[in-house]
Amino acid sequence: MRKLERGSGEPLWKQLQEDLVRRLRSGEFDDAFPGELALVEEYEVSRHTVRQALGQLRTDGLIVAERGRQPRVATAPEIRQPMGALYSLFSSVEESGLPQHSVVRALDLRADGVVAARLNLEGSIPLLYLERLRYAGDEPLALDRVWLPASLAEPLLDADFTHTSLYNELAERTGINLDHGREDIRAMNPNPAERALLHCPADAAVFSIIRQGTAQNRPVEWRHTVVRGDRFALSAEYSANAGYRLTPATTALAQAW
Amino acid sequence: MRKLERGSGEPLWKQLQEDLVRRLRSGEFDDAFPGELALVEEYEVSRHTVRQALGQLRTDGLIVAERGRQPRVATAPEIRQPMGALYSLFSSVEESGLPQHSVVRALDLRADGVVAARLNLEGSIPLLYLERLRYAGDEPLALDRVWLPASLAEPLLDADFTHTSLYNELAERTGINLDHGREDIRAMNPNPAERALLHCPADAAVFSIIRQGTAQNRPVEWRHTVVRGDRFALSAEYSANAGYRLTPATTALAQAW
DNA sequence: CCGTCAGAAATGTACGTACATTCACGGTAG
DNA sequence: CTACCGTGAATGTACGTACATTTCTGACGG
C-alpha cells in the first residue's frame, strides 16, 4: 500500500505515473505489470485516476494494454526494416517498379582488425563478410559491404542473398533485430575499382554510407555502401509537427529537377 | 446537433475525434474552437467522452487547452531553425569552433521563370536573389543560392548577410517563420565554376542540396546549396524509439573514420 | 475614464457506476 | 489425451457527479 500526497499541487495521476515509471525502470515489473484494479488497491485511488496515469504510459510506449489481459511492459519495438538512407534507397527502388537483384561477390568468414575495432570487438575475432553488387533494373546501383560478428551471424553463411534482404535473413535465422543505428553519409568520387563495378559515368559522384547497427547495445553490423550519385537522391521532409523524415517515396531515382 | 453512430463498433470518442479533425482541417474552427460543454450539447455525449476525444487531439498537437479558457487551434509551432541537412551543416561548423562568415556575391531583385515555377509562382514575378559563399575557417565550405518571392522578402534587400542567418533576418524583418520544408540531397561533382569558388580539391565531390521551404502553405524559398564533400558529412542516428534524426553534433567536418 | 473585484464560465482533477468485449484458465465431454 | 465451452477476470467504453482552479467579463466605485 503506497501513499500519494493528496492536495500537494501535483495531480494524483501524475504522481502515480512518475512512481510507476520509477518502478518500471528499476525492473520491478519485468515479470508482470500490475493490473488496473491492483493499482487501485495499492495506491487507494479510483480506477479513473489509474487509467489516466496508464494512458500516459501507453502513449509514451512504455506499456501495452489490451482488452481482457493485463498490461505488459512494452518490449523494445524492434525495427523491422532499419530506417535511414539505405532503407530509403531500396524501398524507393521498389516503388519505382524496377526489378532488384544482387550479385553476391563474397560471403565468407574472415578476420579484419580494422573493422573489428569499429564493432568494438577484438581484432582477431572472426567476422562474416558479405559483399554484394545491387542492381536496379539492368544497371548496378550500389556496392554493399557488410561485416557482422561471426558468433552471431554464422547461420547466414549458406543463405542466398541474391533476392532477400540481410535483415530478413538475420531475423529469421538468428532472431536478431536491429534496434539502433548510426549512419555517416558522404559525397565523394568512387575509386577506379568501384567506378568500374558500378558502371559509373566518368563525371558521376557517389554517396558513401557507413552504417553501424546494434541490437540491444551489442554491435551487430558495420556496413559500407557505395551508391551511384547519378541514380539516387536522398529526399527528406521536415515539418514543425513531424520533425525530419526521409521520404523514400519520391524522386529517388535520378531524373532532372 | 450532430449524430454519431452508437454501437457501430467504432468508439464514440473516436468518431468524435475524427469528425473534429475533419472540421478542423476545413478551417471551421479558425476563429474559435468550441468548448467541451458546447460539444457535449452538439454531439449529445458525455463530457467524459468529449474529453477523451480532445485529449487525443491535444497529444497530437492540434489544439491547446488551458484551465478557464476555451481550447484553441494550435498555431503551427514555427520552426526557429529549420532542420535538415543545411541546419546540420552550419550548426556542426559552429560546434567545431571554426569561425563562420559569408561573402555575399549577390543580393538583388530579379525575375527567373524557372525558379518561379519551382515556387509555384508566375514566371514574371520578381524574386529576391541571395548568393553567398560560406566559409568555415579560412576555407570555403558551401555555395548557397536562395530565391524568395520579392513580395515577401523585399525588406531583406538591405540586410547584411555576412554574419547573420537568412532565417533570422526573415523572422525579424517580416515575421515569417518556415513551418515546412523539403530537401533533395544529391552527390555529384561540381561544375568548374563551383569548383574554383569552393577551392575544391580535384578529386572531391559535393553535396547538392535543393530545399523548398514553405510557411503556412505558401512557398517562401527555393534554395540550392553546394557543399564541399571533403569537408562535410551527414550524420544520422535512428532508433526504435526516436526514429531517424540527423545529428549535427558529431563528425561533421571531414576527418578520417 | 480607469482600476478593482465579484461572479460566471471554462477546463482540470477525482470520484463513482454500469456494461461490453476480450482473454485466460479450467473443467467437462468425447 | 484432446477439443470445446463456460466462467471469471481484466481492460475498453460510456455515463454521471462534485469540486478546484483559472480565466474572462462586466459592474461598481473612485
Side-chain angles (χ1 to χ4, degrees), chain A residues 33-44:
Chain A
F33 195 87
E36 294 178 356
L37 290 243
L39 292 172
V40 165
E41 292 234 341
E42 186 174 2
Y43 287 92
E44 294 183 307

Side-chain angles (χ1 to χ4, degrees), chain B residues 171-241:
Chain B
E172 278 183 22
R173 294 180 181 236
T174 72
I176 295 175
N177 284 77
L178 297 191
D179 55 25
H180 191 83
R182 179 178 158 67
E183 284 180 350
D184 272 271
I185 305 168
R186 287 163 181 274
M188 50 174 53
N189 279 300
N191 62 38
E194 291 166 342
R195 187 179 293 279
L197 270 174
L198 290 167
H199 295 175
C200 260
D203 61 337
V206 294
F207 285 105
S208 165
I209 302 173
I210 304 280
R211 155 181 272 181
Q212 298 165 266
T214 61
Q216 279 136 20
N217 280 326
R218 292 196 313 180
V220 172
E221 69 160 355
W222 194 84
R223 189 165 192 153
H224 183 192
T225 305
V226 178
V227 188
R228 272 173 62 170
D230 62 328
R231 298 194 72 194
F232 181 67
L234 277 170
S235 230
E237 254 182 278
Y238 64 88
S239 68
N241 303 326

